[in-house]
Amino acid sequence: MKVLALNGSPRGEKSTSQRLLGSLLDGLREAGADVTQHYLAQLDIHPCTGCFGCWLRTPGQCSVWRDSMDGLLAELEAADWLIMAYPLYVYNMPAQVKLFYDRLIPGALPWIVPHPTRPGLMTHPRRFAGKGRKLVVICNAGLCELEHFGPLKATLEYIASQTGMAMEALILKPGGGLLQHPLFQDFFAPYYAALTQAGRELAAAGGLSPETRAALAQEYIPIPAEEYYAQANAHFQQTLIEHGHDGTPPPTAPMPGKAG
Ligand SMILES: Cc1cc2nc3c(=O)[nH]c(=O)nc-3n(C[C@H](O)[C@H](O)[C@H](O)COP(=O)(O)O)c2cc1C
């Protein structure tokens, strides 16, 4: 089983995305999967120029750029699974990930045809007869409310349905600022273990068990959200002052020792 894993955080190796992705990949490797991982931010991926050369002049290949996407498209074609981890940026995916998605357009044919399973929708057929590639996305966000992931979730479900990739799991983790905090590693150990178990199950069974799915769906954080926000605001205040700026918080900001 071949896995292409992409970390879309600009923070690369130090990112919370990598802490989460790494746990999943541990399980996949342990169960024998052949895993290739890249950090998108370290690759050379130019923005699509919108020329449609990859459809009409050099079908299946970008007509403009010879960059990291040449290799990535080949790796994606060979992969059974695409596993991506990235932070929520402006309620959606970071620019590095959007660049990657835009540059997948050579994988579609230009023809406009009825969607095979969604009556009333048109789509572009896939250029390469796929083997039913599956997708897993792990996304963490700074804020604690799951609602912030709504636009990303809708986007990914739509992309999956239009590209024929089956979305096996969308793992959403709010309160990302706590996930790597040294004080909370014991607290999160079962969550990281559930990710590793998920990797084993993906490799061995091709999907997640209901138990693992339920463990990963938990949005628990080790402290009340109000305390998290108060500590974050205190940190912002201190850092602003250290840099010689005004550290006065807005009157509605939760701060340690103050209500609301
Ligand atoms: C440009 C930018 C946009 C962000 N947008 C959001 C957002 O819309 N919602 C949110 O909860 N956090 C947002 N965040 C916070 C990140 O999602 C959060 O810091 C995350 O834990 C970073 O994960 P990483 O270490 O994997 O990069 C944003 C951060 C940046 C730098």
Side-chain angles (χ1 to χ4, degrees):
M1 171 186 168
K2 267 187 172 314
V3 176
L4 176 60
L6 300 175
N7 178 328
S9 170
R11 292 174 4 100
E13 282 178 25
K14 293 184 185 153
S15 64
T16 299
S17 298
Q18 190 56 27
R19 179 71 183 86
L20 297 164
L21 178 63
S23 295
L24 187 81
L25 298 186
D26 284 348
L28 278 157
R29 289 195 176 103
E30 198 184 289
D34 173 5
V35 179
T36 303
Q37 198 214 294
H38 300 289
Y39 295 98
L40 286 178
Q42 291 174 6
L43 300 181
D44 178 33
I45 303 179
H46 291 83
C48 174
T49 63
C51 69
F52 291 107
C54 63
W55 279 4
L56 304 173
R57 289 200 301 279
T58 55
Q61 194 186 51
C62 181
S63 309
V64 179
W65 304 116
R66 295 282 64 79
D67 61 11
S68 302
M69 277 311 289
D70 290 335
L72 273 188
L73 282 171
E75 286 176 354
L76 182 62
E77 214 39 55
D80 303 291
W81 289 82
L82 172 62
I83 299 187
M84 302 193 73
Y86 45 81
L88 192 70
Y89 271 18
V90 197
Y91 316 107
N92 217 300
M93 60 189 75
Q96 285 83 354
V97 178
K98 184 63 164 59
L99 276 186
F100 168 75
Y101 275 125
D102 286 357
R103 293 285 307 281
L104 294 182
I105 208 78
L109 289 165
W111 313 111
I112 300 165
V113 299
H115 192 285
T117 58
R118 301 182 66 181
L121 269 191
M122 301 302 280
T123 190
H124 300 284
R126 307 311 301 160
R127 180 177 302 279
F128 309 107
K131 47 188 168 185
R133 190 168 306 112
K134 291 191 185 176
L135 179 65
V136 174
V137 173
I138 305 173
C139 183
N140 88 95
L143 298 178
C144 296
E145 301 82 39
L146 269 181
E147 192 174 339
H148 299 290
F149 292 102
L152 173 76
K153 191 166 179 282
T155 303
L156 289 177
E157 282 167 358
Y158 211 86
I159 291 175
S161 90
Q162 288 290 61
T163 57
M165 278 200 257
M167 174 72 85
E168 175 59 27
L170 175 55
I171 300 168
L172 304 174
K173 201 66 188 136
L178 298 167
L179 282 161
Q180 296 203 89
H181 196 295
L183 277 181
F184 302 128
Q185 290 316 292
D186 285 349
F187 179 89
F188 285 119
Y191 189 81
Y192 289 122
L195 276 168
T196 303
Q197 177 60 18
R200 289 188 203 106
E201 291 175 9
L202 291 179
L208 299 188
S209 66
E211 297 74 33
T212 300
R213 208 173 273 285
L216 293 177
Q218 299 208 21
E219 54 187 281
Y220 53 75
I221 55 172
I223 52 176
E226 184 75 359
E227 195 182 322
Y228 171 52
Y229 292 136
Q231 289 185 12
N233 285 335
H235 168 73
F236 298 145
Q237 180 177 50
Q238 187 190 333
T239 311
L240 280 165
I241 292 169
E242 277 169 16
H243 286 85
H245 302 295
D246 178 11
T248 311
T252 51
M255 299 295 288
K258 293 179 193 158

